[in-house]
Short mmCIF file of all heavy atoms in Angstrom, two decimals:
data_model
loop_
_atom_site.label_atom_id
_atom_site.label_comp_id
_atom_site.label_asym_id
_atom_site.label_seq_id
_atom_site.Cartn_x
_atom_site.Cartn_y
_atom_site.Cartn_z
N VAL A 1127 1.72 -9.32 2.85
CA VAL A 1127 1.45 -9.14 1.38
C VAL A 1127 2.57 -8.19 0.89
O VAL A 1127 2.70 -7.05 1.34
CB VAL A 1127 0.11 -8.53 1.14
CG1 VAL A 1127 -0.12 -8.26 -0.37
CG2 VAL A 1127 -1.01 -9.41 1.72
N LEU A 1128 3.35 -8.69 -0.06
CA LEU A 1128 4.46 -7.85 -0.59
C LEU A 1128 4.02 -7.18 -1.84
O LEU A 1128 3.48 -7.81 -2.80
CB LEU A 1128 5.65 -8.83 -0.96
CG LEU A 1128 6.80 -8.18 -1.67
CD1 LEU A 1128 7.44 -7.11 -0.78
CD2 LEU A 1128 7.82 -9.23 -2.04
N TYR A 1129 4.19 -5.93 -1.92
CA TYR A 1129 3.90 -5.10 -3.09
C TYR A 1129 5.27 -4.75 -3.73
O TYR A 1129 6.12 -4.08 -3.15
CB TYR A 1129 3.16 -3.83 -2.77
CG TYR A 1129 2.91 -2.93 -3.96
CD1 TYR A 1129 1.77 -3.23 -4.77
CD2 TYR A 1129 3.75 -1.86 -4.27
CE1 TYR A 1129 1.62 -2.43 -5.87
CE2 TYR A 1129 3.49 -1.07 -5.38
CZ TYR A 1129 2.44 -1.39 -6.20
OH TYR A 1129 2.20 -0.57 -7.28
N VAL A 1130 5.55 -5.20 -4.99
CA VAL A 1130 6.81 -4.97 -5.63
C VAL A 1130 6.48 -3.95 -6.79
O VAL A 1130 5.71 -4.22 -7.69
CB VAL A 1130 7.42 -6.25 -6.28
CG1 VAL A 1130 8.70 -5.89 -6.94
CG2 VAL A 1130 7.53 -7.31 -5.18
N GLY A 1131 7.11 -2.76 -6.67
CA GLY A 1131 6.93 -1.71 -7.69
C GLY A 1131 7.15 -0.40 -7.11
O GLY A 1131 7.25 -0.21 -5.93
N ASN A 1132 7.09 0.67 -7.98
CA ASN A 1132 7.18 2.02 -7.49
C ASN A 1132 6.01 2.36 -6.68
O ASN A 1132 4.91 1.99 -7.00
CB ASN A 1132 7.33 3.03 -8.70
CG ASN A 1132 8.64 2.92 -9.38
OD1 ASN A 1132 9.61 2.42 -8.81
ND2 ASN A 1132 8.71 3.38 -10.56
N TYR A 1133 6.24 3.05 -5.62
CA TYR A 1133 5.21 3.39 -4.72
C TYR A 1133 5.53 4.75 -4.09
O TYR A 1133 6.19 4.81 -3.09
CB TYR A 1133 5.11 2.28 -3.67
CG TYR A 1133 3.91 2.28 -2.78
CD1 TYR A 1133 2.65 2.40 -3.34
CD2 TYR A 1133 4.00 2.15 -1.43
CE1 TYR A 1133 1.52 2.38 -2.56
CE2 TYR A 1133 2.87 2.13 -0.66
CZ TYR A 1133 1.68 2.22 -1.22
OH TYR A 1133 0.52 2.21 -0.42
N SER A 1134 5.15 5.81 -4.75
CA SER A 1134 5.59 7.10 -4.39
C SER A 1134 5.13 7.55 -3.00
O SER A 1134 5.87 8.20 -2.31
CB SER A 1134 5.10 8.16 -5.45
OG SER A 1134 3.67 8.13 -5.55
N SER A 1135 3.92 7.21 -2.62
CA SER A 1135 3.45 7.64 -1.33
C SER A 1135 2.86 6.45 -0.59
O SER A 1135 1.88 5.92 -0.97
CB SER A 1135 2.37 8.72 -1.55
OG SER A 1135 1.75 8.99 -0.34
N LEU A 1136 3.51 6.13 0.52
CA LEU A 1136 2.91 5.09 1.37
C LEU A 1136 1.84 5.55 2.26
O LEU A 1136 1.16 4.77 2.90
CB LEU A 1136 4.09 4.45 2.23
CG LEU A 1136 5.04 3.60 1.45
CD1 LEU A 1136 6.23 3.24 2.34
CD2 LEU A 1136 4.44 2.39 0.88
N ALA A 1137 1.64 6.85 2.38
CA ALA A 1137 0.63 7.38 3.27
C ALA A 1137 -0.73 7.29 2.58
O ALA A 1137 -0.90 7.86 1.47
CB ALA A 1137 0.94 8.83 3.61
N PRO A 1138 -1.71 6.60 3.13
CA PRO A 1138 -3.01 6.54 2.50
C PRO A 1138 -3.74 7.84 2.44
O PRO A 1138 -3.68 8.62 3.43
CB PRO A 1138 -3.80 5.55 3.33
CG PRO A 1138 -2.92 5.13 4.45
CD PRO A 1138 -1.63 5.86 4.39
N ASP A 1139 -4.38 8.14 1.35
CA ASP A 1139 -5.20 9.33 1.28
C ASP A 1139 -6.40 9.05 0.36
O ASP A 1139 -6.35 8.10 -0.48
CB ASP A 1139 -4.44 10.60 0.89
CG ASP A 1139 -4.04 10.63 -0.59
OD1 ASP A 1139 -4.78 10.22 -1.45
OD2 ASP A 1139 -2.93 11.13 -0.85
N PRO A 1140 -7.42 9.85 0.33
CA PRO A 1140 -8.60 9.58 -0.44
C PRO A 1140 -8.34 9.57 -1.95
O PRO A 1140 -8.99 8.89 -2.72
CB PRO A 1140 -9.62 10.71 -0.12
CG PRO A 1140 -9.04 11.41 1.07
CD PRO A 1140 -7.62 11.08 1.14
N ASP A 1141 -7.40 10.35 -2.42
CA ASP A 1141 -7.06 10.36 -3.88
C ASP A 1141 -5.90 9.46 -4.23
O ASP A 1141 -5.20 9.66 -5.16
CB ASP A 1141 -6.68 11.82 -4.24
CG ASP A 1141 -7.76 12.78 -4.02
OD1 ASP A 1141 -8.95 12.39 -4.13
OD2 ASP A 1141 -7.47 13.96 -3.57
N ALA A 1142 -5.79 8.37 -3.52
CA ALA A 1142 -4.67 7.47 -3.62
C ALA A 1142 -4.75 6.67 -4.89
O ALA A 1142 -5.80 6.51 -5.45
CB ALA A 1142 -4.66 6.48 -2.44
N ASP A 1143 -3.59 6.19 -5.36
CA ASP A 1143 -3.59 5.35 -6.51
C ASP A 1143 -3.86 3.94 -6.08
O ASP A 1143 -4.16 3.69 -4.94
CB ASP A 1143 -2.19 5.45 -7.23
CG ASP A 1143 -1.06 4.88 -6.37
OD1 ASP A 1143 -1.26 4.39 -5.26
OD2 ASP A 1143 0.12 5.06 -6.81
N GLY A 1144 -3.82 2.98 -6.95
CA GLY A 1144 -4.20 1.60 -6.71
C GLY A 1144 -3.43 1.00 -5.60
O GLY A 1144 -3.93 0.18 -4.77
N ALA A 1145 -2.09 1.24 -5.50
CA ALA A 1145 -1.28 0.65 -4.51
C ALA A 1145 -1.72 1.13 -3.11
O ALA A 1145 -1.67 0.33 -2.21
CB ALA A 1145 0.19 0.99 -4.76
N ASN A 1146 -2.14 2.38 -2.97
CA ASN A 1146 -2.54 2.85 -1.67
C ASN A 1146 -3.90 2.18 -1.33
O ASN A 1146 -4.12 1.86 -0.16
CB ASN A 1146 -2.74 4.37 -1.66
CG ASN A 1146 -1.41 5.10 -1.53
OD1 ASN A 1146 -0.46 4.60 -0.92
ND2 ASN A 1146 -1.36 6.34 -2.05
N VAL A 1147 -4.72 1.96 -2.32
CA VAL A 1147 -5.98 1.27 -2.01
C VAL A 1147 -5.66 -0.13 -1.60
O VAL A 1147 -6.30 -0.62 -0.61
CB VAL A 1147 -6.80 1.25 -3.32
CG1 VAL A 1147 -8.06 0.28 -3.16
CG2 VAL A 1147 -7.30 2.62 -3.69
N ALA A 1148 -4.69 -0.80 -2.21
CA ALA A 1148 -4.32 -2.14 -1.78
C ALA A 1148 -3.75 -2.14 -0.37
O ALA A 1148 -4.12 -3.00 0.46
CB ALA A 1148 -3.26 -2.71 -2.75
N GLN A 1149 -2.93 -1.12 -0.04
CA GLN A 1149 -2.36 -1.07 1.34
C GLN A 1149 -3.45 -0.86 2.33
O GLN A 1149 -3.48 -1.59 3.33
CB GLN A 1149 -1.37 0.08 1.41
CG GLN A 1149 -0.76 0.25 2.80
CD GLN A 1149 0.19 1.38 2.90
OE1 GLN A 1149 0.30 2.20 2.01
NE2 GLN A 1149 0.88 1.50 4.06
N GLN A 1150 -4.36 0.03 2.11
CA GLN A 1150 -5.46 0.30 2.99
C GLN A 1150 -6.30 -0.99 3.18
O GLN A 1150 -6.61 -1.38 4.31
CB GLN A 1150 -6.36 1.40 2.52
CG GLN A 1150 -5.74 2.72 2.54
CD GLN A 1150 -6.57 3.79 1.88
OE1 GLN A 1150 -7.67 3.49 1.25
NE2 GLN A 1150 -6.18 5.03 1.96
N ALA A 1151 -6.62 -1.64 2.08
CA ALA A 1151 -7.47 -2.90 2.19
C ALA A 1151 -6.75 -3.96 2.97
O ALA A 1151 -7.37 -4.67 3.79
CB ALA A 1151 -7.90 -3.34 0.84
N ILE A 1152 -5.50 -4.14 2.71
CA ILE A 1152 -4.75 -5.23 3.35
C ILE A 1152 -4.63 -4.94 4.82
O ILE A 1152 -4.82 -5.83 5.66
CB ILE A 1152 -3.38 -5.37 2.67
CG1 ILE A 1152 -3.56 -6.00 1.25
CG2 ILE A 1152 -2.44 -6.26 3.48
CD1 ILE A 1152 -2.43 -5.86 0.36
N GLU A 1153 -4.29 -3.70 5.18
CA GLU A 1153 -4.11 -3.37 6.61
C GLU A 1153 -5.45 -3.46 7.33
O GLU A 1153 -5.50 -3.86 8.46
CB GLU A 1153 -3.38 -2.02 6.73
CG GLU A 1153 -1.95 -2.07 6.33
CD GLU A 1153 -1.28 -0.74 6.31
OE1 GLU A 1153 -1.99 0.32 6.46
OE2 GLU A 1153 -0.05 -0.78 6.23
N GLN A 1154 -6.54 -2.98 6.67
CA GLN A 1154 -7.83 -3.09 7.38
C GLN A 1154 -8.29 -4.51 7.54
O GLN A 1154 -9.04 -4.81 8.47
CB GLN A 1154 -8.87 -2.30 6.53
CG GLN A 1154 -8.69 -0.80 6.60
CD GLN A 1154 -9.67 -0.06 5.69
OE1 GLN A 1154 -10.46 -0.67 4.99
NE2 GLN A 1154 -9.53 1.27 5.68
N ALA A 1155 -7.84 -5.42 6.68
CA ALA A 1155 -8.23 -6.82 6.79
C ALA A 1155 -7.28 -7.60 7.79
O ALA A 1155 -7.52 -8.73 7.94
CB ALA A 1155 -8.20 -7.48 5.42
N GLY A 1156 -6.36 -6.84 8.37
CA GLY A 1156 -5.50 -7.50 9.39
C GLY A 1156 -4.23 -8.03 8.75
O GLY A 1156 -3.50 -8.79 9.50
N GLY A 1157 -3.90 -7.70 7.60
CA GLY A 1157 -2.69 -8.18 7.00
C GLY A 1157 -1.61 -7.15 7.20
O GLY A 1157 -1.74 -6.10 7.63
N ARG A 1158 -0.35 -7.63 6.86
CA ARG A 1158 0.85 -6.77 6.93
C ARG A 1158 1.34 -6.40 5.55
O ARG A 1158 1.50 -7.28 4.73
CB ARG A 1158 1.90 -7.56 7.70
CG ARG A 1158 3.08 -6.69 8.10
CD ARG A 1158 3.97 -7.47 9.08
NE ARG A 1158 4.25 -8.80 8.57
CZ ARG A 1158 5.43 -9.34 8.34
NH1 ARG A 1158 6.48 -8.61 8.57
NH2 ARG A 1158 5.59 -10.54 7.86
N PHE A 1159 1.40 -5.13 5.24
CA PHE A 1159 1.74 -4.63 3.96
C PHE A 1159 3.30 -4.50 3.88
O PHE A 1159 3.93 -3.72 4.68
CB PHE A 1159 1.09 -3.32 3.70
CG PHE A 1159 1.27 -2.79 2.29
CD1 PHE A 1159 0.52 -3.30 1.26
CD2 PHE A 1159 2.28 -1.79 2.03
CE1 PHE A 1159 0.62 -2.82 -0.10
CE2 PHE A 1159 2.41 -1.37 0.74
CZ PHE A 1159 1.64 -1.89 -0.31
N LEU A 1160 3.91 -5.18 2.94
CA LEU A 1160 5.41 -5.01 2.74
C LEU A 1160 5.60 -4.35 1.38
O LEU A 1160 4.75 -4.49 0.48
CB LEU A 1160 6.03 -6.42 2.74
CG LEU A 1160 5.81 -7.28 3.97
CD1 LEU A 1160 6.45 -8.68 3.71
CD2 LEU A 1160 6.42 -6.63 5.22
N HIS A 1161 6.70 -3.69 1.24
CA HIS A 1161 7.02 -3.03 -0.04
C HIS A 1161 8.46 -3.20 -0.50
O HIS A 1161 9.33 -3.23 0.37
CB HIS A 1161 6.70 -1.50 0.06
CG HIS A 1161 7.10 -0.81 -1.18
ND1 HIS A 1161 8.20 0.06 -1.11
CD2 HIS A 1161 6.59 -0.71 -2.37
CE1 HIS A 1161 8.32 0.58 -2.34
NE2 HIS A 1161 7.42 0.12 -3.12
N HIS A 1162 8.62 -3.43 -1.79
CA HIS A 1162 9.99 -3.46 -2.38
C HIS A 1162 9.85 -2.70 -3.68
O HIS A 1162 8.99 -2.90 -4.48
CB HIS A 1162 10.47 -4.88 -2.67
CG HIS A 1162 11.88 -4.92 -3.14
ND1 HIS A 1162 12.24 -4.66 -4.43
CD2 HIS A 1162 13.07 -5.10 -2.46
CE1 HIS A 1162 13.55 -4.73 -4.57
NE2 HIS A 1162 14.04 -4.96 -3.40
#
């Protein structure tokens, strides 16, 4: 799953923005998170 856009912090944390939520959900579901 490719995420295109600014992504200040790739490290997941509880106060994460929507992109971090997407990264966590995708990785927990067994997907591979890509970023540009």
Side-chain angles (χ1 to χ4, degrees):
V1127 178
L1128 174 63
Y1129 178 83
V1130 182
N1132 288 341
Y1133 193 47
S1134 58
S1135 169
L1136 287 173
D1139 73 37
D1141 300 324
D1143 64 6
N1146 282 333
V1147 172
Q1149 179 183 7
Q1150 290 173 355
I1152 289 164
E1153 289 175 350
Q1154 288 175 0
R1158 192 169 46 122
F1159 186 83
L1160 305 174
H1161 173 252
H1162 186 278

